[in-house]
Structures are given as C-alpha cells and as structure tokens.
Amino acid sequence: MRRLFLLIVLSLSLVSTNVIAAPLQLVTAGPGNRIHGVDISRWQHPYDKPINFTKMAASGVRFVIIKGSDSNPDADEMARNYLIEDRTAAHEAGLYTGFYYFAYLPDTRKKVEVVADAMAQAQKAIWRLAEIGGYTDQDLPIALDLETNCVRKISGVCKKYAKKRHVTLWAKTWLDEVSARTNRNPLIYSYPNFLQGAMKRSIELANYPLWIAAYGKDPANLANHPGMKSVGCYAHSWTKADCTADYQIWQYTSCGKGSRYGVKSSRIDLNVFGGSSEQFYAMTTGIWQPDAVDLLPFNETTTATLTSSSSIITTNDSADFTLDATRPNGTPVVTGSVRFISADSLAKVGAQSVIRSASGRWTLKISALPAGTYAGYIEYFDASQTHSTVDIPIYFEVTQGPTPEPKPSPTKKPAPKPFDACAGQIRN
C-alpha cells in the first residue's frame, strides 16, 4: 500500500509540472498603445541559451511568433528543436504563440511542379503543427514567411529568380492547403518591395491576413503606417485605396534590445498588432487537433529514380546527376537531400553542391574531380527520418581536360566600412 501511495504522489507531481498557465490579459503596452509582440528563431539562442519568457511577459509583450519550420532540411531540424521548448515555455509564461514557416521556392518553370512543391511544403508545415499538438486557443495561426524568390544560388550569388506568376501560384497553393487542412487562415509574412516586385496582385491572396515587415517608422506615432512610399503607392494585394497596407501584424524593427525582452542575443524583432483586443482574440479561435493521418510518418517507404546524368565529364567540368524521390502515393517526398558516396572510402570525391529543382527533385553537382574512374552510389537521405534512405549505384569516368589559363590576381580593395544593420531603425 505504501508503494502504491508513493506512485500516486509521484504521478501527481509529474502532472503538476506540465500545467500550462492561463494566458495573460492583453495589455496595450506596445508603441501607440497597441498589443506588443516579438518573433524569434535560433538567433535568440546564442550558445544554446534559453529565453526568459517570464521577463518577456513582464516587459508588456503578449505574443511571440517562433520559427518552426524551413524548406531547408538542416535549418528545419534546428527550428524544430527550439519550437518545441520555446512554445511550451511561452505558454507557461501566459504568452500567446504562433510559428512561421520559412519558404524557398523550386527551381522550375513548370506550373504543375510549382503546385506540387507548394503542396509538399504545406504538408511539411502541417506535420510540424501536428507534432506540437495542433492549435490551442493560445495560438495564432501559422505564418508563411515568403521573402525570397531566388531559386538558384551559386557561391552566394543568385543566378535565377522565379517568375511573378509562379511565386503567386506557389503562395496561393500553400495558403489554401494549410487553411483547408487546419480550419484557420494562415498569415503571410513579407515586405512591401517583395509583395509588389515578386508577386502578382490577387484578390484570393488578399483574403489571408498580412504580417508586414517595414522598418524606419515609429508605430508610436499613429499617423505612421507600414510600407508607404514618400511618393506614390506600393501596388500589391493588400494595398488599400489610400496607399496604406491592410495588415494584421507590423514588424516595425529588427533591432529591439534583446536583454529587455529576456533573450541573450543583442537584437530581437519587435511587432505590434494592428487591431483591437477583440480582433486579436478572433485570430486565436478555431482549435485544431490533428488526426492520425496528420502526424509525421517515420521512415516511410521511398522510391528514388536517377532521371539524368552527365555523359562526358572532364576535370574542368562537374559530374551532374538529377534524382527524383517519391512517397508511396506517388507524390514528391517532403524533406531530405542527396549526396554521392564513393565505394572507396579513401578516394577524393571533389566538392558536392545540391540544387533543389522542386520538392523531391535534386541536381547533385560534383566538381574538382581528378581524372579517374569512380564507383559508388547517389544516396537520397532524410535526417528527420520522415522518409527512408534510398541508394542508387553509379559508375562514371572523368578524363583529363585542358589546363585552364591562370587568372590574374585581383586588385586588393580597401576594407569596407563596418555595416550598421540597425541604421534608421527603431531601437526599443
């Protein structure tokens, strides 16, 4: 009986540590007497240090939007780790939370592949939302972070951009799918130049609430509006007749003073909610709890196909291989990447770079290869273990190319002046 009593007490103590505090009462402690919020990512965890959400709440903050997922597999896994711990700690401090999905678009001009990629990345976001238990009444809707239309970057330089119609189609497909599956309209995060320059105007897109990034104007002055030109209008889906943006959340600076908000980083993004308390509460309605089909698979069976490879390779070229990977239902895999693994573990295999052409399609480039014969396999792998690993054996030869002419040494340039990323920004 004594043992049973101890077990009951232990069980009760374990339960009590997981009790989530009721959300704090909303206060208009932000600039312009508005509801104040922050958004965070791994950058607010220098050296893996935790965030003090109690201090954040004491500063007057009432909502925190956490980076929760990313198109890039490595960044996605890092975001996942912080999302789980930060969301729980923020709820325990009485804060409202949301999370955002950072998107990269596919390197394709085919409409069907643009749609397939958006559907796959929407599935990835839904799986992540399901992994944390879905929506509670303390959660804002998920946000799509869409701020780049570069689809091919080589050595840090963008070589190809997606067309406006494809960016718009991709965004609409992602937003529609997430909305239909979770019973809440997601937000879209971006900045005015991108909304105008990289996307077409769309009545359908305007139905989704906008989280706008616009710096340099103090929201404490109610005459200021985000994303307005000194002359003329930004013409995008959320522009109103008076040139103001129809927004829900305004990210007004990336230069908040970190220590004031309980983070160890020197900077933090600050936001204000653009409406009333009633409008804020309206965005938290609609609890969604995932069904079994919404949960992340584990080592789901994968089919991989090598669709193209280089036929003639010299030491001056790269060996190029394109691989497609699909799920059991024939749709593209959602995450993962590819690499070449040599059968000779001691052999030099050059420098490998990967271009994601679309969801489930990668082009692997292997450069700086000495002349010789190479045997091994192209491996599709998924560090998250959502999809299973697949190996495709390959064999190729590299012949000696002509010796390239030496390039002249570049003229040494003077060191640039230090860049102040916070110049012209609000430093609250």
Side-chain angles (χ1 to χ4, degrees):
M1 179 63 71
R2 175 179 172 81
R3 183 180 178 187
L4 179 60
F5 175 76
L6 289 174
L7 287 172
I8 292 171
V9 171
L10 178 60
S11 298
L12 290 173
S13 66
L14 288 173
V15 171
S16 66
T17 61
N18 293 323
V19 173
I20 304 298
L24 295 170
Q25 183 178 359
L26 293 180
V27 292
T28 52
N33 296 319
R34 297 185 243 204
I35 300 167
H36 210 196
V38 304
D39 59 273
I40 59 173
S41 66
R42 68 183 181 90
W43 300 110
Q44 278 63 58
H45 289 276
Y47 306 105
D48 208 29
K49 292 180 178 178
I51 294 174
N52 185 340
F53 288 100
T54 301
K55 183 175 182 179
M56 185 180 288
S59 74
V61 165
R62 285 298 176 267
F63 68 93
V64 52
I65 304 177
I66 307 161
K67 181 175 182 179
S69 195
D70 193 292
S71 297
N72 178 284
D74 293 337
D76 183 70
E77 186 60 23
M78 188 175 298
R80 174 185 178 273
N81 294 335
Y82 287 123
L83 168 67
I84 293 170
E85 68 177 66
D86 285 347
R87 180 174 180 259
T88 299
H91 279 182
E92 289 174 348
L95 296 173
Y96 289 86
T97 60
F99 88 81
Y100 67 91
Y101 179 92
F102 190 94
Y104 291 102
L105 304 183
D107 184 3
T108 180
R109 295 288 171 87
K110 296 180 179 179
K111 180 178 176 180
V112 65
E113 292 180 352
V114 171
V115 170
D117 185 85
M119 293 290 286
Q121 293 203 49
Q123 177 64 76
K124 188 176 184 178
I126 291 164
W127 278 341
R128 183 56 45 81
L129 184 57
E131 190 176 2
I132 60 175
Y135 286 134
T136 71
D137 55 9
Q138 207 166 328
D139 289 306
L140 295 168
I142 185 174
L144 170 63
D145 184 338
L146 186 56
E147 53 185 280
T148 177
N149 58 341
C150 178
V151 296
R152 187 183 302 170
K153 185 176 285 189
I154 300 174
S155 300
V157 179
C158 188
K159 301 294 185 179
K160 181 181 176 185
Y161 293 91
K163 292 183 177 295
K164 274 188 172 187
R165 65 176 183 273
H166 290 149
V167 178
T168 307
L169 174 63
W170 191 99
K172 185 179 181 303
T173 302
W174 191 99
L175 292 163
D176 287 350
E177 177 68 6
V178 172
S179 176
R181 295 276 298 277
T182 63
N183 299 317
R184 279 202 201 177
N185 271 1
L187 295 103
I188 180 169
Y189 167 93
S190 199
Y191 57 96
N193 275 326
F194 185 88
L195 295 172
Q196 174 181 269
M199 301 179 74
K200 295 175 72 70
R201 294 182 67 184
S202 164
I203 295 174
E204 291 86 358
L205 278 182
N207 289 325
Y208 291 99
L210 176 64
W211 173 17
I212 190 169
Y215 306 151
K217 291 186 177 181
D218 191 348
N221 182 349
L222 297 181
N224 287 336
H225 296 276
M228 290 188 69
K229 294 181 177 181
S230 55
V231 177
C233 278
Y234 284 106
H236 55 70
S237 299
W238 293 268
T239 304
K240 296 192 290 187
D242 61 357
C243 290
T244 61
D246 184 14
Y247 71 95
Q248 289 292 323
I249 300 174
W250 174 8
Q251 185 189 78
Y252 67 90
T253 184
S254 66
C255 294
K257 297 175 182 178
S259 60
R260 181 176 293 176
Y261 301 97
V263 301
K264 300 299 182 181
S265 60
S266 60
R267 294 166 51 186
I268 188 171
D269 296 341
L270 301 179
N271 304 265
V272 288
F273 184 72
S276 64
S277 297
E278 289 74 19
Q279 289 170 312
F280 184 93
Y281 287 131
M283 292 192 72
T284 67
T285 58
I287 293 173
W288 175 71
Q289 294 180 322
D291 295 324
V293 295
D294 298 309
L295 299 177
L296 193 70
F298 180 76
N299 279 338
E300 180 183 71
T301 301
T302 308
T303 301
T305 306
L306 194 64
T307 57
S308 69
S309 59
S310 301
S311 56
I312 300 175
I313 310 167
T314 74
T315 52
N316 299 330
D317 305 318
S318 63
D320 297 351
F321 305 92
T322 300
L323 181 142
D324 284 0
T326 57
R327 302 178 62 197
N329 62 4
T331 61
V333 294
V334 174
T335 186
S337 189
V338 297
R339 60 192 170 196
F340 170 68
I341 299 179
S342 175
D344 182 356
S345 60
L346 300 179
K348 294 182 179 179
V349 293
Q352 300 189 39
S353 61
V354 178
I355 297 172
R356 190 181 69 88
S357 306
S359 279
R361 177 173 295 165
W362 295 267
T363 297
L364 172 66
K365 292 179 174 289
I366 313 172
S367 56
L369 287 166
T373 300
Y374 294 83
Y377 49 92
I378 302 292
E379 180 183 76
Y380 162 77
F381 67 98
D382 180 11
S384 73
Q385 295 185 291
T386 302
H387 310 293
S388 61
T389 299
V390 181
D391 297 332
I392 299 179
I394 60 166
Y395 173 92
F396 61 96
E397 293 185 1
V398 178
T399 58
Q400 182 64 48
T403 303
E405 293 290 331
K407 295 181 180 180
S409 300
T411 304
K412 193 171 183 179
K413 296 181 180 179
K417 295 181 180 179
F419 174 69
D420 181 5
C422 290
Q425 289 203 48
I426 309 299
R427 306 190 190 210
N428 282 353

